[in-house]
Amino acid sequence: MGKKDASATTLPVDQYRKQIGKQDYKKSKSALRATRLKAEAKRNATGMRDIILVVVAVVVFLLSIYAFFYLNLSTEIDLDVDVD
């Protein structure tokens, strides 16, 4: 029983070292807030990126349809002019 009691008490130096070690890992509220905001912005950025990609894809699709019809109509007009 004596050994259990002796091991339970630690030296004040060891307690001080543990406190210093714990303080190294503690973060201030501002640092935690900045980390949280950065993570939240990263999550929201992926949503914005998806929206931008969809809008760009729709614009490219519409421009390709416009180019297709423009080229088809312009060749038909040139053929009509050559016939006269």
Side-chain angles (χ1 to χ4, degrees), residues 10-83:
T10 58
L11 296 174
V13 175
D14 290 336
Q15 290 176 352
Y16 177 73
R17 288 179 182 160
K18 285 182 181 180
Q19 286 176 353
I20 291 175
K22 288 179 183 178
Q23 288 176 1
D24 287 340
Y25 294 109
K26 289 182 181 177
K27 293 183 179 179
S28 64
K29 287 186 179 182
S30 61
L32 290 172
R33 185 181 307 127
T35 305
R36 187 181 73 240
L37 290 175
K38 187 176 180 182
E40 187 176 329
K42 189 180 238 185
R43 276 186 265 131
N44 290 340
T46 57
M48 290 296 293
R49 186 179 63 197
D50 291 343
I51 291 170
I52 291 171
L53 286 175
V54 167
V55 169
V56 168
V58 169
V59 168
V60 167
F61 179 72
L62 292 175
L63 285 175
S64 63
I65 291 174
Y66 176 77
F68 176 75
F69 285 118
Y70 177 76
L71 291 174
N72 280 342
L73 292 177
S74 65
T75 55
E76 289 177 9
I77 292 171
D78 288 339
L79 292 175
D80 291 339
V81 171
D82 291 336
V83 171

